[in-house]
Amino acid sequence: MTPDTANRIDDQVVLVTGASRGIGQATAAWLKALGGDVFGTATSQGGADRISQDLGDGRGLVLDVTDADAIQNTIRTINERAGAVTVLVNNAAITRDQLLMRLKDEDWDAVMNTNLRGLMQVTRACLRGMLKARAGRVVNVSSVVGYSGNPGQSNYAAAKAGVAGFTRSLAHEVGSRGITANVVAPGFIDTDMTRELDEGQRQRLTDGIPLGRLGTVEDVAAAIGFLAGPAGSYLTGQTLHVNGGMYMT
């Protein structure tokens, strides 16, 4: 699968959070191939260095999305180097899985702070430039779990469901300024996490997917690229499910 060059985003400044591996890494590469000037973030210097290897020219930045001051500094750095962010992909997320009766408050808070509050803070920091330009794309990465639920993931599911509500509200607020806000909700994707499952576990996952396979990170990146480019200009407040049919709306 290769990017649709008819849906190019030339001259757009792009920020992808959580871009050192998996979906974020694939998305950053995809948007770069579409012509975007792409920056990516990771929580460690090692992760940022990997992003820079992929994107070149020090495009990898260290960022903890729960740190409001760090977010402002990151956006300021991008503004100084390339201009205002006009395409934002909020992908950074964590899990702290546990059955609710055993779930610690700090694990609930950690997931909410990263997956929902952090997403809000990064979006808010980027909006000023988009509003001034009267153009922009916000694509928030949710999860099938936010719609179907999953045992042991009440915190993660709640945060990812919150992403959808946040995005719809944002779409109402900024649509008149030429800014779209949408959600991509991946299903089970072939990443480092799913590769750790044994063969039996992977088979049980694929048995529940009508298309009979796990998704690829490129499947998700292609959906994000569609929404980020001209082809997605009349879509806002929508959720694009990329799950092989395991959850249907």
Side-chain angles (χ1 to χ4, degrees):
M1 186 184 301
T2 57
D4 177 9
T5 54
N7 195 40
R8 292 186 63 82
I9 55 171
D10 296 305
D11 302 321
Q12 301 301 308
V13 179
V14 181
L15 173 60
V16 181
T17 66
S20 64
R21 60 180 182 171
I23 290 170
Q25 183 181 37
T27 297
W30 196 276
L31 297 179
K32 180 183 178 182
L34 289 176
D37 187 357
V38 184
F39 292 80
T41 73
T43 56
S44 68
Q45 186 60 54
D49 291 342
R50 286 195 299 275
I51 295 168
S52 292
Q53 289 174 2
D54 293 339
L55 303 178
D57 194 25
R59 257 42 186 178
L61 303 170
V62 177
L63 176 64
D64 175 356
V65 298
T66 67
D67 185 335
D69 290 338
I71 291 170
Q72 294 299 328
N73 290 336
T74 296
I75 300 307
R76 188 177 302 112
T77 296
I78 296 172
N79 287 343
E80 291 171 353
R81 293 185 59 183
V85 173
T86 49
V87 176
L88 170 63
V89 180
N90 282 304
N91 175 68
I94 63 170
T95 57
R96 295 288 188 273
D97 295 350
Q98 185 56 268
L99 296 174
L100 182 59
M101 291 301 294
R102 299 176 182 173
L103 183 65
K104 297 177 181 178
D105 288 351
E106 53 265 35
D107 289 334
W108 174 274
D109 291 343
V111 168
M112 289 296 173
N113 285 338
T114 296
N115 299 6
L116 193 53
R117 182 184 177 90
L119 177 145
M120 176 276 292
Q121 292 183 141
V122 175
T123 302
R124 188 172 58 191
C126 291
L127 272 185
R128 185 180 300 276
M130 293 184 187
L131 290 168
K132 185 176 181 180
R134 299 187 70 86
R137 298 281 192 271
V138 178
V139 184
N140 294 323
V141 180
S142 181
S143 168
V144 65
V145 170
Y147 298 82
S148 66
N150 199 39
Q153 289 194 305
S154 60
N155 51 359
Y156 185 76
K160 289 300 189 179
V163 167
F166 168 84
T167 305
R168 288 191 291 268
S169 296
L170 178 65
H172 280 291
E173 292 183 13
V174 300
S176 64
R177 298 295 188 93
I179 302 167
T180 66
N182 292 288
V183 174
V184 170
F188 289 115
I189 306 300
D190 188 12
T191 62
D192 293 344
M193 183 174 66
T194 54
R195 290 184 199 118
E196 292 177 358
L197 302 175
D198 63 39
E199 191 59 35
Q201 291 171 315
R202 286 175 64 90
Q203 187 60 52
R204 284 191 291 275
L205 286 181
T206 55
D207 286 346
I209 301 172
L211 289 185
R213 67 172 177 87
L214 300 183
T216 68
V217 291
E218 289 78 19
D219 289 326
V220 183
I224 294 171
F226 168 74
L227 292 172
S233 64
Y234 199 57
L235 290 171
T236 197
Q238 304 302 311
T239 297
L240 186 53
H241 291 276
V242 185
N243 61 39
M246 67 172 291
Y247 174 84
M248 303 185 190
T249 58

